[in-house]
Amino acid sequence: MRVPPRRLALLLLSLPWIGLAPIACHEPGLAVRAAAPTRRDLGDLIVLEVSGSYEEMGRQEAVLLGPDLRRVYAQQLADYQRGLAQTGVAQHLLDAVALPLWSEVGGWFEDSHFHEELAGMAAGLGVPRRNLLRALLSLGGGSTVFAATRSATADGKPLLGRNVDWDDALGTRRPLVVRLHPNDGDLEHLFVGWPLVGLPTVGLNEAGFALSFNYFETEPEVGLLLPQWPHRRALQKARTVEEGIRLFLGARERGISSFTVMADASGDVAMVECTPDRCAVFRPEGDWFAQSNHARTPEMIARDRYRSPDSFDRRAGMERAVARHLPGLTPEAAVEILRDRSMHRWPNASNVANLAVLNAVVVQPASRTLWHSTAMQPFAPFGEFVGFTLAKGSTAPPSLPASPWLGSPAMERERAAVEQARSALHALFERRPADAQRTFAALLAETPPVLDDRRLALGEAYARFEQTDFAGAAAAVAPATAAGAPIDVQIYGLSLRALCADRLGRRADAVALHRAALALIQAHPEWNVFEPVAALARQGIAGALVDREPVLFYYALRVPF
């Protein structure tokens, strides 16, 4: 789901020297050699091959991506500028002075070649480097990943499966795989993501080292003191998990907080949980583990600012899906794991194969092989998985077939419902509540419903609240607060009902509803994502809040927009 521009500005603009990496990925079945820049489109997936210096490769990427990159650049730059308009003088000064300076000299202080690649990409696009850096400040991404090895896999070798969850900007951000042939002695590697993603979401190099980058919200979240980017450097240099860990631990300051899952050809698997200034290493007790978006190590749990029920649910779903295929995991089984929706019946719930998946990827480090789905959001995991290899002298491995569900009437009906829900969320985001209300009402009227009607009810109620129809909002949100509704929906729904009661002069009801929301939050100390709702509830209990707006709840609808 898109982060509102104000949040982007507060999160990223306040620390403008977050030089993020350019897009990169790979081309299937080619020998390890320098090659002419190429592009292939495999279904919805874009595949590039580039070679030379990092500046040359950045230019090649820009030229090969052409309009696909330009559309993302224009949209993300506009998002950045909208966010900047909502910030204060300090952020404007940082944008005007520090960011342009860092875009020019940042490469002097780090060794991942980001700034060289950035310069080439900006030149290929014909835009100022500083503006490309501004557009790159839309990094984000949740994910659900597993890493397995030894007794957990059919061949005893490691296997990694990953669903990368983020907003595809209504189809603007297409999945992307780039194969890089650096000419400076760095390892050839595959870099998975989408145009202007920033850092690798998944990567694999010719030595059989693989990594998976996952979003970790901390305070601070980005580095201040000349950050380095081990997320890139590990793919360029590391041959083993131990070497990858050392690169993360040894960085002067990491550019951004992350959970980075690693695997290597020898069978080692691990994860580093890193903030800009420190890292903790997680080693599984057995031969596999799953990860989503919350910290596991004691050192990092205290620094985790986004512990949500969705993250816990997605990890539990991945663990259940993997366990059903043990022992003897294969790439084919990994694909089925990434398609798992058994955790909940609704597609807009916290499933492994959720609607926000942008990149669905399986990696087999020992064979230097990576498979990526050719389908786009919202059905990325259900597409055909095409194979790519970095093994010398090898041809592309066979594809793993698409799900028979893809393109079925049921999925096409689901696709139409998702598009409607997206349009309603955009209408709310753009302050068109009447349009949003009509769309939510139409979705709620479907028989049988396609999406979880408790989540949709929350959206319709918020749209009514925005139109000052407080009685209508209180009535509309009732299904969201009923027993059995998802707990995140109940918490937001109770908070909204409390504000409606205040607006309607029902002070005792408002206090009771705030207390009910607070009780649900306090019953789950493992979550902290509801702290703004808890703060609102405490204020509401102490005094009337008739002039307060609801806490934003967009992520609770679980439909990316």
Side-chain angles (χ1 to χ4, degrees):
M1 181 173 297
R2 179 181 300 168
V3 179
R6 179 174 177 80
R7 172 163 170 70
L8 279 176
L10 293 174
L11 174 64
L12 297 172
L13 177 60
S14 61
L15 303 171
W17 35 87
I18 175 176
L20 298 181
I23 48 183
C25 302
H26 82 296
E27 158 94 276
L30 298 179
V32 180
R33 57 177 171 76
T38 60
R39 169 175 172 160
R40 294 178 64 192
D41 288 62
L42 304 175
D44 296 319
L45 176 66
I46 301 172
V47 179
L48 306 181
E49 178 165 1
V50 296
S51 63
S53 71
Y54 282 90
E55 184 170 355
E56 290 169 338
M57 290 190 289
R59 186 186 294 266
Q60 292 164 20
E61 291 164 13
V63 172
L64 291 170
L65 286 168
D68 292 291
L69 178 59
R70 193 167 295 279
R71 281 191 293 270
V72 176
Y73 165 76
Q75 176 172 315
Q76 293 184 184
L77 182 60
D79 281 347
Y80 177 91
Q81 291 167 337
R82 281 192 293 271
L84 180 63
Q86 300 177 41
T87 62
V89 173
Q91 284 75 27
H92 281 265
L93 286 173
L94 288 169
D95 174 75
V97 179
L99 185 145
L101 177 63
W102 192 252
S103 71
E104 298 298 326
V105 305
W108 300 354
F109 306 103
E110 65 97 25
D111 57 4
S112 77
H113 307 286
F114 161 68
H115 288 275
E116 297 165 41
E117 208 166 341
L118 175 69
M121 188 176 294
L125 274 177
V127 302
R129 196 184 310 183
R130 66 191 63 181
N131 280 353
L132 188 62
L133 183 56
R134 289 180 173 109
L136 280 167
L137 299 185
S138 292
L139 175 71
S143 69
T144 320
V145 60
F146 77 84
T149 190
R150 294 183 288 271
S151 67
T153 61
D155 61 1
K157 302 295 185 180
L159 194 64
L160 187 150
R162 166 76 185 271
N163 278 343
V164 180
D165 309 337
W166 198 239
D167 163 29
D168 77 348
L170 297 180
T172 299
R173 298 188 185 104
R174 290 177 59 182
L176 177 70
V177 175
V178 179
R179 180 173 184 165
L180 291 94
H181 302 263
N183 67 1
D184 67 347
D186 283 352
L187 295 168
E188 180 187 3
H189 56 281
L190 309 177
F191 202 120
V192 176
W194 56 90
L196 292 186
V197 59
L199 297 177
T201 61
V202 183
L204 171 70
N205 68 27
E206 62 178 298
F209 170 83
L211 63 75
S212 167
F213 170 93
N214 204 353
Y215 181 69
F216 180 20
E217 184 168 317
T218 63
E219 183 61 47
E221 192 164 353
V222 293
L224 287 166
L225 302 175
L226 305 178
Q228 296 175 296
W229 303 98
H231 325 75
R232 286 171 55 87
R233 200 59 178 153
L235 284 178
Q236 297 162 354
K237 290 296 183 185
R239 295 177 175 273
T240 65
V241 166
E242 284 298 335
E243 290 179 8
I245 291 172
R246 284 199 296 270
L247 281 167
F248 273 81
L249 296 181
R252 177 181 55 248
E253 186 174 40
R254 287 141 294 276
I256 190 167
S257 300
S258 67
F259 305 112
T260 303
V261 175
M262 302 178 186
D264 66 31
S266 73
D268 198 9
V269 297
M271 177 174 64
V272 286
E273 301 186 333
C274 296
T275 63
D277 63 341
R278 69 186 67 184
C279 287
V281 179
F282 172 81
R283 293 277 188 179
E285 293 181 1
D287 287 341
W288 70 277
F289 69 98
Q291 176 65 14
S292 51
N293 289 91
H294 59 278
R296 307 277 286 269
T297 60
E299 302 95 311
M300 292 298 160
I301 288 174
R303 307 187 74 178
D304 194 338
R305 297 291 177 266
Y306 200 76
R307 299 177 70 78
S308 71
D310 167 61
S311 181
F312 282 80
D313 277 355
R314 281 186 290 111
R315 184 181 129 196
M318 181 68 90
E319 289 170 342
R320 283 175 44 176
V322 172
R324 281 196 293 273
H325 291 271
L326 292 175
L329 290 177
T330 62
E332 292 80 4
V335 168
E336 293 309 311
I337 289 167
L338 297 183
R339 292 170 177 166
D340 188 88
R341 281 189 178 176
S342 64
M343 192 78 177
H344 298 286
R345 61 168 290 208
W346 302 102
N348 62 327
S350 299
N351 292 297
V352 175
N354 63 75
L355 299 174
V357 176
L358 266 169
N359 301 105
V361 187
V362 173
V363 185
Q364 196 174 48
S367 66
R368 280 67 168 171
T369 303
L370 180 150
W371 289 267
H372 193 295
S373 172
T374 60
M376 283 185 70
Q377 192 178 111
F379 303 133
F382 298 94
E384 176 188 10
F385 280 67
V386 294
F388 306 89
T389 183
L390 290 172
K392 295 182 179 181
S394 297
T395 58
S399 296
L400 305 175
S403 167
W405 296 349
L406 191 67
S408 67
M411 271 201 160
E412 290 309 304
R413 183 167 176 251
E414 185 179 304
R415 185 191 302 274
V418 170
E419 290 304 313
Q420 282 185 281
R422 279 182 162 189
S423 70
L425 283 168
H426 271 280
L428 283 178
F429 190 72
E430 295 165 359
R431 297 287 182 172
R432 295 184 287 109
D435 293 339
Q437 181 188 331
R438 285 191 291 271
T439 304
F440 280 125
L443 285 166
L444 285 163
E446 290 194 352
T447 306
V450 178
L451 303 177
D452 189 338
D453 55 357
R454 284 89 50 97
R455 296 184 183 275
L456 298 177
L458 181 61
E460 182 188 6
Y462 184 86
R464 289 181 178 274
F465 185 95
E466 287 284 279
Q467 298 173 82
T468 69
D469 178 11
F470 305 121
V477 81
T481 59
I487 194 162
D488 57 331
V489 174
Q490 288 189 56
I491 289 168
Y492 286 117
L494 288 166
S495 182
L496 180 60
R497 282 182 62 192
L499 290 179
C500 289
D502 250 337
R503 296 288 179 100
L504 295 168
R506 300 200 298 265
R507 179 75 187 124
D509 290 344
V511 170
L513 290 162
H514 281 306
R515 291 189 189 280
L518 196 57
L520 283 180
I521 295 168
Q522 293 172 338
H524 293 277
E526 71 273 23
W527 305 331
N528 61 13
V529 72
F530 299 113
E531 288 177 358
V533 182
L536 184 66
R538 287 189 289 266
Q539 294 169 18
I541 292 166
L545 289 172
V546 295
D547 60 340
R548 293 297 298 273
E549 293 296 315
V551 176
L552 291 178
F553 65 93
Y554 295 129
Y555 97 91
L557 297 187
R558 296 295 301 155
V559 176
F561 72 106

